[in-house]
Amino acid sequence: MNNRRKTELIIIHTSATPITMNIGAYEISKWHRAQGWLDIGYHFVIKRGGLIELGRPMEAVGAHAKGYNDKSVAICMIGGIDKDKKPENNYTVEQWDSLRTSLLFLNNIYSEAKVIGHNEVSKKDCPCFDVQAWLKMERASVDMIGG
């Protein structure tokens, strides 16, 4: 795997799995390798209970947003679809807390990076919530998240 030369974006993703499917980095890695990828495409995975798992090495080029992999870090939240496989913001309180923690951590390293949803650079529903609206709400209460 090659290392990124710059980090301009932190891109939030969904696993597009129902709430009953509490998978993690291991399962996603298996799916991605089955598609012929070197490994999991994301750098971090946030499980339903809030556990943050490591995916690709943080400095490595990811495989998660075509055209943006060489300048971004990826966080994948488990969930994001309902039982009929339609987009749904169904993340847990623990996941939101872990997302905040992850973004604060990454902001300390990549202070100039902008936080976006995958749907801001691709015609997808991913991550199944409006990242910019969420960030605006977060900033209103704590002005600490970069982007």
Side-chain angles (χ1 to χ4, degrees):
M1 280 182 232
N2 294 327
N3 287 344
R4 274 187 326 282
R5 293 192 177 142
K6 58 186 173 183
T7 304
E8 298 174 359
L9 299 169
I10 298 168
I11 303 179
I12 302 173
H13 294 265
T14 182
S15 62
T17 52
I19 60 173
T20 55
M21 199 171 173
N22 190 18
I23 60 162
Y26 175 77
E27 291 84 1
I28 295 172
S29 178
K30 282 177 54 175
W31 297 345
H32 288 180
R33 284 185 282 118
Q35 293 178 42
W37 300 1
L38 294 173
D39 199 355
I40 186 171
Y42 310 115
H43 298 93
F44 299 94
V45 174
I46 302 176
K47 293 184 73 169
R48 302 286 302 159
L51 179 66
I52 302 168
E53 295 184 324
L54 300 178
R56 282 196 185 205
M58 195 169 67
E59 67 281 355
V61 172
H64 57 90
K66 189 175 182 178
Y68 297 89
N69 292 320
D70 65 337
K71 56 186 159 202
S72 62
V73 173
I75 301 171
C76 178
M77 295 177 67
I78 301 301
I81 62 170
D82 66 15
K83 62 180 175 44
D84 298 317
K85 298 185 179 182
K86 292 194 171 38
E88 179 179 68
N89 179 347
N90 57 18
Y91 305 109
T92 65
V93 170
E94 295 84 1
Q95 285 179 293
W96 292 115
D97 289 344
S98 292
L99 181 59
R100 280 183 207 95
T101 300
S102 299
L103 292 175
L104 288 169
F105 169 75
L106 290 169
N107 183 248
N108 283 327
I109 300 166
Y110 309 113
S111 60
E112 300 299 316
K114 181 177 181 181
V115 178
I116 65 169
H118 186 202
N119 57 1
E120 294 177 60
V121 293
S122 179
K123 292 182 180 181
K124 298 183 182 245
D125 293 315
C126 175
C128 302
F129 71 97
D130 184 333
V131 171
Q132 297 311 312
W134 179 77
L135 287 171
K136 187 175 180 181
M137 182 181 69
E138 288 295 303
R139 283 190 189 108
S141 58
V142 181
D143 189 27
M144 292 172 54
I145 298 176

